[in-house]
Amino acid sequence: MKDQFNLKEQEVIDLMLKEMKPKSFEMWRKRVQERKTKHLKLRTFQKGRFKCSIQKN
């Protein structure tokens, strides 16, 4: 998140908690915590990450 949006992990969690419904937040946290590609060191790929066409370059 730091690279894309200049937010720390805790800032993202706080934002999502504030903006989402409680159940949606729970489901999001479960999905995010189970991801193995969350950390760059655990990724098997370096290029080819999805980037939305409207996202700032």
Side-chain angles (χ1 to χ4, degrees):
M1 284 294 171
K2 185 98 172 125
D3 294 337
Q4 280 186 304
F5 305 109
N6 203 23
L7 293 173
K8 295 178 184 172
E9 184 176 357
Q10 189 58 50
E11 292 173 327
V12 172
I13 292 168
D14 293 341
L15 176 67
M16 296 298 262
L17 184 58
K18 183 178 125 188
E19 296 294 327
M20 298 175 88
K21 292 186 255 183
K23 187 63 178 174
S24 297
F25 176 78
E26 286 178 32
M27 292 186 323
W28 173 77
R29 283 296 287 161
K30 184 178 187 310
R31 184 174 68 245
V32 170
Q33 288 176 330
E34 292 176 355
R35 284 188 57 182
K36 292 183 180 181
T37 58
K38 178 179 170 185
H39 300 285
L40 290 173
K41 292 177 184 175
L42 297 177
R43 291 184 180 176
T44 58
F45 57 90
Q46 295 299 320
K47 292 186 179 181
R49 179 180 61 84
F50 174 77
K51 188 170 184 182
C52 179
S53 60
I54 61 173
Q55 186 175 334
K56 188 171 124 181
N57 288 333

